[in-house]
Amino acid sequence: MVSEEVLLTIEGREQETDDSHLASDFMAGHVEATFVMRNQGAELESFDVWFPLTTSDGFGSSNQVQNFGAWVDEVPVEVSESTGRDLLDFEESVPWATWPVTFPPGQDTILRVTYDVLPIGYRPFGDFHYILETGADWQDTIGEATVTIRLPYPVTPENTTLDPAVSHHAPHPDGFQVQDNEVVWRFTNLEPTSDDNVRLNVLEPDRWQALVAAREAVVAAPDSAEAQLELARAARGAVSMKHGVNPFGGGDALAQVASDAYVRSLKLDPQQNEIYGEYAEWLLWTSNRYLSENGTYPEALYDAVARGLERLPDDERLLEIQEIIASQEAQSTATPTLRPTLPSPTPVPTTPPLPSPTAAPTATPVPGNSSAPGGSLCTGTLLWGLIPLAL
């Protein structure tokens, strides 16, 4: 393979409701991949090229890529659907796209595919994958390969998980470059393995847009309780939560931004009685690590519950949080690492979504002979159907 060039553009997806927890309901990837193949032999080669149409979440669930199209030397080709092996070994067989290609001797043939694919994971972050390892099934190395993931906003450590020292969801493999709104990997003479497969963990475009807008509103009106509250909600919406704050994107630092903005909002307008429950719930959800290390919750949580109940003594949310605090503290001496059963967080309003970029494909041989890549993969892979002699 002379070269492989992949562009995965991430885009936001608008939904009528905000109920889903899946990143795939709020982001999508559009992939365009171009492969330059050279027949180094002296004879004409003709065989079917195969491309998998199934993506997986890594936990046994799968979905099919959409809007798949293929071109040979910029001429659109008719694609058939066949059944082949699941590269991830979750199913016995899965759908594949297949189409015939003829490779003249000593010449380059350009194959291009496009399709739409969904990310893996739970809101507000999702993982986009591109699998390079299947390119090893073509003869020789990939001379030059470039994989670009394009976001709808400039890449920052808050909207993209970038630090491998903080999270195993940092960009993979190492050696990537951040260029404005793109994360780029470049390879030369690559004999790809699973270690070369590409992954990027990104924030939903609409959540990032909400955070940017909220920060601008606070700059314009720093003494507005409403602006501070919207900043708290937007920052909260950009934090990944499970048993506390997850190390995705802004993580702990952004969680602190949300907490500080709640405090400022209530200080500017203490009469926002309904906000005390929202703020206390947020502190409860983010205090897991503190509770595990200290056996108590942070003082701010006790204060928020007490002040809220002074104003709304019958508030169900505040009373439930008060009960959880008492229950967890009673267990703290016997349970070194606590994972309390917390109430489901009440959704907080955010600004409408922003458009975002997509995910991409690669090259390899017959479905029955392909080994399954490990981990959670979301990919399209180009394969040959009949064994080429000199490609």
Side-chain angles (χ1 to χ4, degrees):
M1 188 187 301
V2 177
S3 66
E4 175 175 356
E5 186 168 350
V6 178
L7 174 62
L8 188 166
T9 304
I10 299 170
E11 299 170 343
R13 302 180 69 198
E14 292 190 23
Q15 300 292 336
E16 292 183 3
T17 67
D18 202 41
D19 296 337
S20 173
H21 296 294
L22 298 177
S24 57
D25 286 331
F26 298 89
M27 286 190 284
H30 177 73
V31 175
E32 180 165 343
T34 302
F35 309 89
V36 178
M37 318 298 296
R38 182 173 299 158
N39 183 347
Q40 301 178 51
E43 297 184 5
L44 191 76
E45 299 286 351
S46 297
F47 49 85
D48 289 341
V49 167
W50 288 65
F51 199 96
L53 296 176
T54 300
T55 62
S56 170
D57 64 0
F59 298 98
S61 300
S62 61
N63 53 20
Q64 190 163 330
V65 304
Q66 302 295 320
N67 306 318
F68 183 85
W71 290 257
V72 177
D73 290 331
E74 294 306 318
V75 177
V77 295
E78 185 174 345
V79 176
S80 302
E81 188 172 302
S82 299
T83 300
R85 176 189 167 196
D86 179 9
L87 294 175
L88 301 176
D89 287 337
F90 288 126
E91 305 287 344
E92 239 179 72
S93 59
V94 294
W96 289 67
T98 179
W99 64 98
V101 181
T102 297
F103 299 89
Q107 296 184 27
D108 289 350
T109 300
I110 299 174
L111 308 182
R112 183 166 67 91
V113 299
T114 64
Y115 61 90
D116 298 325
V117 71
L118 300 175
I120 296 165
Y122 295 96
R123 306 183 69 192
F125 282 81
D127 283 336
F128 286 92
H129 294 259
Y130 183 80
I131 308 308
L132 277 168
E133 66 175 294
T134 48
D137 293 317
W138 294 88
Q139 183 170 309
D140 293 336
T141 62
I142 302 174
E144 294 181 356
T146 303
V147 179
T148 301
I149 300 183
R150 178 177 295 165
L151 283 67
Y153 39 68
V155 175
T156 78
E158 288 184 329
N159 58 41
T160 309
T161 305
L162 293 176
D163 189 352
V166 173
S167 174
H168 66 277
H169 281 264
H172 183 86
D174 292 335
F176 63 91
Q177 294 179 318
V178 175
Q179 301 172 352
D180 190 30
N181 67 327
E182 297 180 342
V183 181
V184 183
W185 288 261
R186 292 184 175 87
F187 308 89
T188 303
N189 296 324
L190 178 66
E191 185 71 32
T193 70
S194 59
D195 289 337
D196 300 303
N197 293 337
V198 168
R199 180 195 64 234
L200 191 68
N201 179 258
V202 301
L203 176 66
E204 289 173 35
D206 61 320
R207 299 284 181 110
W208 180 246
Q209 182 186 37
L211 182 58
V212 170
R215 280 174 163 157
E216 291 173 349
V218 165
V219 170
D223 295 328
S224 166
E226 182 180 349
Q228 295 289 349
L229 178 58
E230 287 308 310
L231 175 58
R233 289 171 169 173
R236 172 178 174 168
V239 175
S240 176
M241 299 288 297
K242 185 178 182 183
H243 303 308
V245 178
N246 292 332
F248 296 169
D252 288 324
L254 204 50
Q256 190 61 52
V257 169
S259 297
D260 292 345
Y262 273 123
V263 171
R264 285 192 292 269
S265 180
L266 289 169
K267 185 176 181 179
L268 289 164
D269 182 6
Q271 304 308 314
Q272 301 177 93
N273 293 346
E274 71 284 358
I275 304 305
Y276 287 95
E278 180 181 316
Y279 174 43
E281 180 186 76
W282 168 247
L283 291 175
L284 182 68
W285 271 82
T286 56
S287 296
N288 233 26
R289 189 184 311 152
Y290 189 96
L291 174 64
S292 299
E293 293 172 354
N294 299 280
T296 61
Y297 288 100
E299 191 63 33
L301 176 56
Y302 297 102
D303 182 63
V305 172
R307 292 170 65 193
L309 287 174
E310 282 179 9
R311 291 162 169 77
L312 300 170
D314 298 322
D315 186 273
E316 292 184 4
R317 191 195 312 193
L318 286 166
L319 290 170
E320 182 180 5
I321 292 171
Q322 189 180 54
E323 289 180 10
I324 291 171
I325 291 172
S327 171
Q328 291 303 319
E329 286 188 337
Q331 298 176 43
S332 63
T333 54
T335 311
T337 302
L338 297 169
R339 290 190 174 182
T341 303
L342 305 181
S344 297
T346 305
V348 294
T350 54
T351 318
L354 177 82
S356 88
T358 318
T362 323
T364 150
V366 191
N369 294 337
S370 301
S371 59
S376 304
L377 304 179
C378 172
T379 181
T381 306
L382 186 67
L383 298 95
W384 66 65
L386 304 177
I387 300 175
L389 299 179
L391 279 173

